Amino acid sequence: MNNKIENTLFQCRAINKEFGNVRANNDISINVRSSQIHALLGENGAGKSTLVKIIYGLLQPDSGSMTFLNEEYSPKSPKDARALGVGMVFQHFSLFEPLTAFENILVGLDKELGEKELHASVIMLSESYGLEVNLSSFIGDLSAGERQRVEIIRALIQKPKLLIMDEPTSVLTPFECESLFKTLKKLASEGTSILYISHKLKEIADLCDTASVLRKGAIVGEYDPKKMTPRELGEIMVGQSLFEPKRPVAANKSNKVLSVKINEVKPDTQFGVTLKNIDLAVYQSEILGIGGVAGNGQEELMQVLTGEKKDRNVSIKYMDNDIEMLNPRERREIGLAFAPEERLGHAAVGNLNLLENSLITDPKKRFQMKMGFIDFSELNEYTNEIIEKFNVKTTGVSALASSLSGGNLQKFVVGREIGQKPSLFIVNQPTWGVDALSAANIRQAIVDIANTGAAIILISQDLDEILEISNKVAFLTNGNLSIPTNTMDIKTDEIGAIMGGISD
Amino acid sequence: MFKLIPRENVSPVLSLLGPLFSVGLTMIVGGILFYFLGVDPFAAIKMIFWDPLMSETFSTYSIPQIFIKGAPLILIALGLSVGFKANVWNIGAEGQYIMGAIFGASFALSLYPLESIVIFPAMILIGVIGGCLWSMIPAFLKVKFQVNEILVSLMLVYVAEQILALASLGFLRNPDGAGFPGSRNLNQYTSASNAEIIAGTGIHLGVLLSFLMVIFFYVLLFRHSLGFKIKLLGNSPKASGFSGDNPNKLIFLCLTLSGSLAGLAGIMEVAGPAGQINIDFNVGYGFTAIIVAFLGRLNPIGIFFAGIVMALTYVGGELTQFMLNLPAAAIQVFQGMLLFFLLSFDLFVHYKIKLKGNK
């Protein structure tokens, strides 16, 4: 074991890369040893992606050097990188949907290889590493996990010495994650090093031998994730201590705020998900968490709940009123508030300033005077209030929404809705791409309004988030919603079964 | 070869300088064009931009003319700008302008020679309705069948031109006109005449209305929630839907406004400066107004100044035609350059150009 650790496979020294005024990578040096799974840990925007793009030849560093297998390494393109033995599996797959899995592997090859020969080696790879894929299936028909396996086979066929995995679990169910980890561990034990990018602390502790932590473009240090708690690692990642929001104390079972029944709602586009058999209710002071892997109907459910999509097959009762035919504005007027997943271009608009963005949702007609004229002093006051309360970092109310960082804009959007004191708040992915401290603040704010009596529906792909603050949880799989269960009573392996079981 | 990369920070100063820059560049390139047409470029540019305002010989005539020619441009551009902000591309204002004139004139002439104080306001209203109805066709087709409004509104210009010819040669032809095409002169019909309101200048009600509309649209766009809804739709249809707005209603609203204002400009023109419905009634105000709307940055105040500058090129252009024998087409090229340079300037304000590496 010690022998292996000494054995450096890949090294980069003092890598610098600037984009405009932003220093994405600042004097980064890392050491990846043979047969190791090496985590690259950091928040969004910490510089992980820039670094791996440099290693894979997609970007050229401004300065610094790299060595690979004890030789100078400076790939000018991914093709160079692959030829030298570096492979990469992207977070967003680059597969051709109308082609079969096998054809995708075939077209991805740099070298000419006979079809029969290739077929044999693909079968061998998929058998020995547990990468089950039906090679004659069209990519369009495969699940996210299967697509990822195709990508991995495509990378492995080139026999890489170093395999870069960019946030591979973000699209997987817990069950699929486990089988991925098995594959990766086997690869490492047979001599392939893996550079594993993630911000999920638990999986890094399970999987990785070493973790290099990046913060604001620079290396904070190298740690042994097996010897630390995920929380310690998280605090190193964000650079400050974290608090954990507590779930709301108790739901008031006598006051049902919302009940939704959906028999079947067809999607507007052929790529959408059909919602089926959804039956949920949420009570005063209760957070109902809705989990599930992306693309299982979250977006579609949100649209039905906001009223952006109205459908006769839906029945929505809000405090004894049928509201399924109301539009979003009318729903807001009676006490609902929404924060959709997409911040720019849906919840907020980049080309508009923060004042104007406050105007997008104005349920109480607070910013309107007689005849529909805008009350700018009231609007100013409210917008400043959000900025202050939610600690939104911005130059002021007249800053364009696009000038705010993702986390700050999310704080603004959540603040804008919570500030309206809704009786029911429905939010999709409230902390996606938000730094850990802001995320904790946003969760706390959601818990706070639940504690003052609001009902919350929290749709999120972040399982930890849901388990942390929800009173009840349900999971979306292929547009079906599981029966909501008390969070306390549910076990992690059950979740995997619920999320994965119905899916195929 | 080249690659356009969006700039992260668009300079507001540069963005405001665009119109000034494009006027300047138009002068330079236009001057070169005039030089090759055998005209002293400095004299021509001076005659277009300076003489109409400052020359003692011309200014008493040409200053009021600037407002008279500017009024329809400003009215139409104001209406168009609202649609452009919402991503509703009505480029058929020329047709709506023609239909406004035909509707209003037909109504008034059908009552000829009856005199009544009601005729004038009713004629204006019917002119506005005429322009509006013509813009409702693309609105309906867009909302109902998702037909592109650019094509429909543009093609309807040519339909309107045919109807104009039909009216001039047929149903509106002056029975006392010795068989010449063209309707009766509305200026000779007291109840329907859009007479001058300042004696000897030719300045008519339409000029006054164009000023008032600038203020009206300024308030609508910057102080009223409707203006915000329009802006929101133009920036993000998804956010507009999230806000709870019905995009179809807003599309109708935008086309109603632009059609109505083009109709208003049309009836003001036919009952005033033009006097009659004739085959050559329309001179392209509806198309030039598109340039005015963009030159004015879709801002009512900006549109006012852009309309004046554009009117100046019309009036000054006429001067160069009879003083320097410049062809009329040269002036049209000159006006086209304005939009061309403005759009190119905008491209560089919003994007930077990078030479792609030799791969």
Tab-separated table of all heavy atoms in Angstrom, chain A residues 168-206:
chain	number	residue	atom	x	y	z
A	168	PRO	N	-20.035	12.793	-11.237
A	168	PRO	CA	-20.736	11.688	-11.911
A	168	PRO	C	-22.044	11.291	-11.235
A	168	PRO	O	-22.903	10.735	-11.887
A	168	PRO	CB	-19.731	10.536	-11.841
A	168	PRO	CG	-18.878	10.845	-10.672
A	168	PRO	CD	-18.786	12.333	-10.608
A	169	THR	N	-22.209	11.587	-9.961
A	169	THR	CA	-23.405	11.071	-9.281
A	169	THR	C	-24.585	12.026	-9.334
A	169	THR	O	-25.657	11.704	-8.842
A	169	THR	CB	-23.115	10.774	-7.802
A	169	THR	OG1	-22.611	11.969	-7.204
A	169	THR	CG2	-22.108	9.663	-7.652
A	170	SER	N	-24.390	13.194	-9.966
A	170	SER	CA	-25.466	14.192	-9.909
A	170	SER	C	-26.721	13.719	-10.626
A	170	SER	O	-27.796	14.250	-10.390
A	170	SER	CB	-24.984	15.526	-10.471
A	170	SER	OG	-24.564	15.366	-11.796
A	171	VAL	N	-26.589	12.739	-11.528
A	171	VAL	CA	-27.779	12.296	-12.251
A	171	VAL	C	-28.198	10.876	-11.872
A	171	VAL	O	-29.063	10.292	-12.505
A	171	VAL	CB	-27.546	12.344	-13.780
A	171	VAL	CG1	-27.407	13.780	-14.235
A	171	VAL	CG2	-26.311	11.552	-14.165
A	172	LEU	N	-27.580	10.335	-10.838
A	172	LEU	CA	-27.826	8.926	-10.535
A	172	LEU	C	-28.704	8.709	-9.308
A	172	LEU	O	-28.734	9.527	-8.398
A	172	LEU	CB	-26.486	8.207	-10.302
A	172	LEU	CG	-25.485	8.270	-11.447
A	172	LEU	CD1	-24.251	7.462	-11.088
A	172	LEU	CD2	-26.082	7.769	-12.749
A	173	THR	N	-29.401	7.577	-9.301
A	173	THR	CA	-30.142	7.178	-8.107
A	173	THR	C	-29.134	6.574	-7.132
A	173	THR	O	-28.036	6.182	-7.531
A	173	THR	CB	-31.187	6.104	-8.442
A	173	THR	OG1	-30.496	4.949	-8.921
A	173	THR	CG2	-32.163	6.574	-9.500
A	174	PRO	N	-29.487	6.485	-5.845
A	174	PRO	CA	-28.539	5.916	-4.871
A	174	PRO	C	-28.055	4.527	-5.283
A	174	PRO	O	-26.882	4.198	-5.113
A	174	PRO	CB	-29.372	5.841	-3.587
A	174	PRO	CG	-30.367	6.927	-3.728
A	174	PRO	CD	-30.693	7.007	-5.188
A	175	PHE	N	-28.951	3.729	-5.862
A	175	PHE	CA	-28.560	2.380	-6.277
A	175	PHE	C	-27.518	2.432	-7.394
A	175	PHE	O	-26.512	1.729	-7.365
A	175	PHE	CB	-29.808	1.615	-6.739
A	175	PHE	CG	-29.490	0.215	-7.183
A	175	PHE	CD1	-29.151	-0.767	-6.243
A	175	PHE	CD2	-29.512	-0.127	-8.527
A	175	PHE	CE1	-28.858	-2.050	-6.652
A	175	PHE	CE2	-29.213	-1.419	-8.938
A	175	PHE	CZ	-28.897	-2.379	-7.998
A	176	GLU	N	-27.761	3.309	-8.361
A	176	GLU	CA	-26.818	3.452	-9.464
A	176	GLU	C	-25.471	3.981	-8.979
A	176	GLU	O	-24.423	3.591	-9.489
A	176	GLU	CB	-27.392	4.393	-10.538
A	176	GLU	CG	-28.516	3.770	-11.347
A	176	GLU	CD	-29.196	4.751	-12.277
A	176	GLU	OE1	-29.366	5.935	-11.910
A	176	GLU	OE2	-29.562	4.345	-13.386
A	177	CYS	N	-25.527	4.840	-7.955
A	177	CYS	CA	-24.282	5.361	-7.385
A	177	CYS	C	-23.427	4.226	-6.840
A	177	CYS	O	-22.233	4.155	-7.089
A	177	CYS	CB	-24.570	6.328	-6.229
A	177	CYS	SG	-25.219	7.893	-6.770
A	178	GLU	N	-24.084	3.332	-6.110
A	178	GLU	CA	-23.336	2.236	-5.514
A	178	GLU	C	-22.619	1.395	-6.561
A	178	GLU	O	-21.459	1.029	-6.396
A	178	GLU	CB	-24.280	1.331	-4.714
A	178	GLU	CG	-24.217	1.617	-3.233
A	178	GLU	CD	-25.280	0.842	-2.504
A	178	GLU	OE1	-25.335	-0.395	-2.680
A	178	GLU	OE2	-26.078	1.485	-1.782
A	179	SER	N	-23.318	1.105	-7.654
A	179	SER	CA	-22.678	0.257	-8.650
A	179	SER	C	-21.560	1.025	-9.357
A	179	SER	O	-20.542	0.449	-9.740
A	179	SER	CB	-23.710	-0.312	-9.627
A	179	SER	OG	-23.968	0.570	-10.661
A	180	LEU	N	-21.737	2.360	-9.478
A	180	LEU	CA	-20.653	3.165	-10.048
A	180	LEU	C	-19.417	3.099	-9.150
A	180	LEU	O	-18.290	2.923	-9.629
A	180	LEU	CB	-21.100	4.626	-10.215
A	180	LEU	CG	-19.991	5.604	-10.587
A	180	LEU	CD1	-19.538	5.378	-12.027
A	180	LEU	CD2	-20.436	7.051	-10.405
A	181	PHE	N	-19.647	3.199	-7.832
A	181	PHE	CA	-18.511	3.189	-6.904
A	181	PHE	C	-17.756	1.876	-6.984
A	181	PHE	O	-16.533	1.835	-6.928
A	181	PHE	CB	-18.989	3.439	-5.467
A	181	PHE	CG	-19.528	4.827	-5.251
A	181	PHE	CD1	-20.266	5.143	-4.120
A	181	PHE	CD2	-19.290	5.835	-6.195
A	181	PHE	CE1	-20.761	6.419	-3.930
A	181	PHE	CE2	-19.785	7.104	-6.001
A	181	PHE	CZ	-20.531	7.397	-4.876
A	182	LYS	N	-18.519	0.774	-7.139
A	182	LYS	CA	-17.861	-0.532	-7.268
A	182	LYS	C	-16.949	-0.537	-8.474
A	182	LYS	O	-15.803	-0.989	-8.422
A	182	LYS	CB	-18.924	-1.637	-7.418
A	182	LYS	CG	-19.376	-2.193	-6.082
A	182	LYS	CD	-20.312	-3.377	-6.296
A	182	LYS	CE	-21.224	-3.546	-5.101
A	182	LYS	NZ	-22.548	-4.057	-5.493
A	183	THR	N	-17.480	-0.035	-9.584
A	183	THR	CA	-16.693	0.021	-10.817
A	183	THR	C	-15.421	0.828	-10.607
A	183	THR	O	-14.321	0.406	-10.981
A	183	THR	CB	-17.526	0.676	-11.938
A	183	THR	OG1	-18.752	-0.026	-12.064
A	183	THR	CG2	-16.778	0.661	-13.252
A	184	LEU	N	-15.583	2.000	-10.000
A	184	LEU	CA	-14.430	2.889	-9.834
A	184	LEU	C	-13.370	2.254	-8.926
A	184	LEU	O	-12.172	2.347	-9.201
A	184	LEU	CB	-14.872	4.246	-9.273
A	184	LEU	CG	-15.785	5.072	-10.195
A	184	LEU	CD1	-16.107	6.414	-9.563
A	184	LEU	CD2	-15.146	5.287	-11.570
A	185	LYS	N	-13.842	1.582	-7.859
A	185	LYS	CA	-12.882	0.963	-6.939
A	185	LYS	C	-12.113	-0.149	-7.649
A	185	LYS	O	-10.913	-0.309	-7.451
A	185	LYS	CB	-13.605	0.415	-5.710
A	185	LYS	CG	-13.933	1.519	-4.703
A	185	LYS	CD	-14.718	0.996	-3.518
A	185	LYS	CE	-15.050	2.123	-2.557
A	185	LYS	NZ	-16.160	1.764	-1.654
A	186	LYS	N	-12.831	-0.897	-8.484
A	186	LYS	CA	-12.161	-1.990	-9.198
A	186	LYS	C	-11.115	-1.410	-10.170
A	186	LYS	O	-9.992	-1.913	-10.263
A	186	LYS	CB	-13.215	-2.806	-9.955
A	186	LYS	CG	-12.628	-3.943	-10.767
A	186	LYS	CD	-13.540	-5.180	-10.754
A	186	LYS	CE	-12.792	-6.421	-11.172
A	186	LYS	NZ	-13.078	-6.871	-12.524
A	187	LEU	N	-11.504	-0.358	-10.857
A	187	LEU	CA	-10.571	0.286	-11.786
A	187	LEU	C	-9.304	0.724	-11.063
A	187	LEU	O	-8.188	0.510	-11.529
A	187	LEU	CB	-11.228	1.515	-12.427
A	187	LEU	CG	-12.085	1.272	-13.670
A	187	LEU	CD1	-12.873	2.514	-14.006
A	187	LEU	CD2	-11.207	0.857	-14.838
A	188	ALA	N	-9.506	1.361	-9.904
A	188	ALA	CA	-8.355	1.863	-9.144
A	188	ALA	C	-7.462	0.715	-8.715
A	188	ALA	O	-6.231	0.790	-8.820
A	188	ALA	CB	-8.845	2.659	-7.940
A	189	SER	N	-8.109	-0.382	-8.250
A	189	SER	CA	-7.299	-1.501	-7.764
A	189	SER	C	-6.491	-2.135	-8.893
A	189	SER	O	-5.478	-2.773	-8.669
A	189	SER	CB	-8.195	-2.541	-7.098
A	189	SER	OG	-8.946	-3.201	-8.097
A	190	GLU	N	-6.942	-1.932	-10.126
A	190	GLU	CA	-6.193	-2.512	-11.243
A	190	GLU	C	-5.230	-1.518	-11.872
A	190	GLU	O	-4.714	-1.743	-12.970
A	190	GLU	CB	-7.171	-3.043	-12.290
A	190	GLU	CG	-7.880	-4.289	-11.784
A	190	GLU	CD	-8.937	-4.789	-12.741
A	190	GLU	OE1	-9.029	-4.249	-13.860
A	190	GLU	OE2	-9.678	-5.701	-12.356
A	191	GLY	N	-5.079	-0.356	-11.250
A	191	GLY	CA	-4.011	0.537	-11.688
A	191	GLY	C	-4.428	1.810	-12.393
A	191	GLY	O	-3.581	2.589	-12.792
A	192	THR	N	-5.720	2.052	-12.552
A	192	THR	CA	-6.134	3.312	-13.166
A	192	THR	C	-6.406	4.321	-12.049
A	192	THR	O	-7.173	4.038	-11.136
A	192	THR	CB	-7.423	3.120	-13.977
A	192	THR	OG1	-7.211	2.072	-14.909
A	192	THR	CG2	-7.800	4.392	-14.714
A	193	SER	N	-5.778	5.452	-12.141
A	193	SER	CA	-6.072	6.493	-11.151
A	193	SER	C	-7.303	7.272	-11.589
A	193	SER	O	-7.555	7.433	-12.782
A	193	SER	CB	-4.909	7.463	-11.029
A	193	SER	OG	-3.808	6.792	-10.509
A	194	ILE	N	-8.043	7.730	-10.592
A	194	ILE	CA	-9.263	8.467	-10.909
A	194	ILE	C	-9.232	9.811	-10.206
A	194	ILE	O	-8.954	9.905	-9.005
A	194	ILE	CB	-10.503	7.651	-10.489
A	194	ILE	CG1	-10.607	6.417	-11.395
A	194	ILE	CG2	-11.770	8.498	-10.606
A	194	ILE	CD1	-11.408	5.294	-10.819
A	195	LEU	N	-9.484	10.856	-11.012
A	195	LEU	CA	-9.616	12.184	-10.430
A	195	LEU	C	-11.110	12.439	-10.342
A	195	LEU	O	-11.798	12.539	-11.363
A	195	LEU	CB	-8.918	13.215	-11.328
A	195	LEU	CG	-8.720	14.606	-10.744
A	195	LEU	CD1	-7.971	14.555	-9.433
A	195	LEU	CD2	-7.983	15.492	-11.733
A	196	TYR	N	-11.601	12.506	-9.118
A	196	TYR	CA	-13.041	12.469	-8.896
A	196	TYR	C	-13.520	13.832	-8.387
A	196	TYR	O	-13.154	14.260	-7.296
A	196	TYR	CB	-13.335	11.376	-7.863
A	196	TYR	CG	-14.788	11.081	-7.655
A	196	TYR	CD1	-15.434	10.150	-8.451
A	196	TYR	CD2	-15.502	11.730	-6.660
A	196	TYR	CE1	-16.773	9.876	-8.263
A	196	TYR	CE2	-16.844	11.460	-6.471
A	196	TYR	CZ	-17.481	10.522	-7.272
A	196	TYR	OH	-18.797	10.255	-7.083
A	197	ILE	N	-14.334	14.503	-9.226
A	197	ILE	CA	-14.777	15.849	-8.867
A	197	ILE	C	-16.147	15.806	-8.244
A	197	ILE	O	-17.061	15.194	-8.801
A	197	ILE	CB	-14.838	16.733	-10.109
A	197	ILE	CG1	-13.462	16.794	-10.728
A	197	ILE	CG2	-15.336	18.126	-9.774
A	197	ILE	CD1	-13.509	17.211	-12.138
A	198	SER	N	-16.286	16.445	-7.114
A	198	SER	CA	-17.595	16.428	-6.471
A	198	SER	C	-17.644	17.482	-5.382
A	198	SER	O	-16.628	18.008	-4.955
A	198	SER	CB	-17.847	15.047	-5.861
A	198	SER	OG	-19.125	15.012	-5.282
A	199	HIS	N	-18.865	17.822	-4.972
A	199	HIS	CA	-18.966	18.605	-3.743
A	199	HIS	C	-19.802	17.841	-2.724
A	199	HIS	O	-20.209	18.381	-1.714
A	199	HIS	CB	-19.528	20.000	-4.016
A	199	HIS	CG	-20.875	19.979	-4.658
A	199	HIS	ND1	-21.062	20.228	-5.988
A	199	HIS	CD2	-22.086	19.711	-4.145
A	199	HIS	CE1	-22.343	20.125	-6.273
A	199	HIS	NE2	-22.991	19.804	-5.179
A	200	LYS	N	-20.076	16.557	-3.043
A	200	LYS	CA	-20.845	15.747	-2.102
A	200	LYS	C	-19.879	15.067	-1.136
A	200	LYS	O	-19.081	14.218	-1.516
A	200	LYS	CB	-21.674	14.715	-2.855
A	200	LYS	CG	-22.757	15.389	-3.678
A	200	LYS	CD	-23.640	14.368	-4.340
A	200	LYS	CE	-24.712	15.064	-5.157
A	200	LYS	NZ	-25.375	14.115	-6.066
A	201	LEU	N	-19.972	15.462	0.106
A	201	LEU	CA	-18.947	15.086	1.065
A	201	LEU	C	-19.022	13.619	1.455
A	201	LEU	O	-18.004	12.955	1.609
A	201	LEU	CB	-19.085	15.965	2.307
A	201	LEU	CG	-19.004	17.455	1.952
A	201	LEU	CD1	-19.587	18.305	3.061
A	201	LEU	CD2	-17.568	17.833	1.679
A	202	LYS	N	-20.245	13.093	1.586
A	202	LYS	CA	-20.377	11.710	2.053
A	202	LYS	C	-19.769	10.731	1.074
A	202	LYS	O	-19.072	9.800	1.451
A	202	LYS	CB	-21.850	11.383	2.297
A	202	LYS	CG	-22.314	11.926	3.633
A	202	LYS	CD	-23.779	11.653	3.881
A	202	LYS	CE	-24.245	12.465	5.079
A	202	LYS	NZ	-25.690	12.722	5.037
A	203	GLU	N	-20.050	10.946	-0.208
A	203	GLU	CA	-19.532	9.981	-1.178
A	203	GLU	C	-18.014	10.064	-1.286
A	203	GLU	O	-17.348	9.064	-1.549
A	203	GLU	CB	-20.219	10.148	-2.545
A	203	GLU	CG	-19.934	11.453	-3.243
A	203	GLU	CD	-20.771	11.599	-4.504
A	203	GLU	OE1	-21.950	11.216	-4.483
A	203	GLU	OE2	-20.247	12.110	-5.503
A	204	ILE	N	-17.470	11.224	-1.044
A	204	ILE	CA	-16.015	11.349	-1.075
A	204	ILE	C	-15.395	10.555	0.069
A	204	ILE	O	-14.398	9.852	-0.101
A	204	ILE	CB	-15.614	12.831	-1.039
A	204	ILE	CG1	-15.868	13.417	-2.430
A	204	ILE	CG2	-14.147	13.001	-0.631
A	204	ILE	CD1	-15.590	14.866	-2.557
A	205	ALA	N	-16.029	10.622	1.232
A	205	ALA	CA	-15.534	9.852	2.375
A	205	ALA	C	-15.600	8.357	2.081
A	205	ALA	O	-14.713	7.590	2.452
A	205	ALA	CB	-16.356	10.190	3.614
A	206	ASP	N	-16.656	7.917	1.417
A	206	ASP	CA	-16.812	6.487	1.099
A	206	ASP	C	-15.792	6.005	0.076
A	206	ASP	O	-15.344	4.874	0.122
A	206	ASP	CB	-18.209	6.236	0.483
A	206	ASP	CG	-19.287	6.332	1.529
A	206	ASP	OD1	-18.940	6.397	2.723
A	206	ASP	OD2	-20.474	6.350	1.148
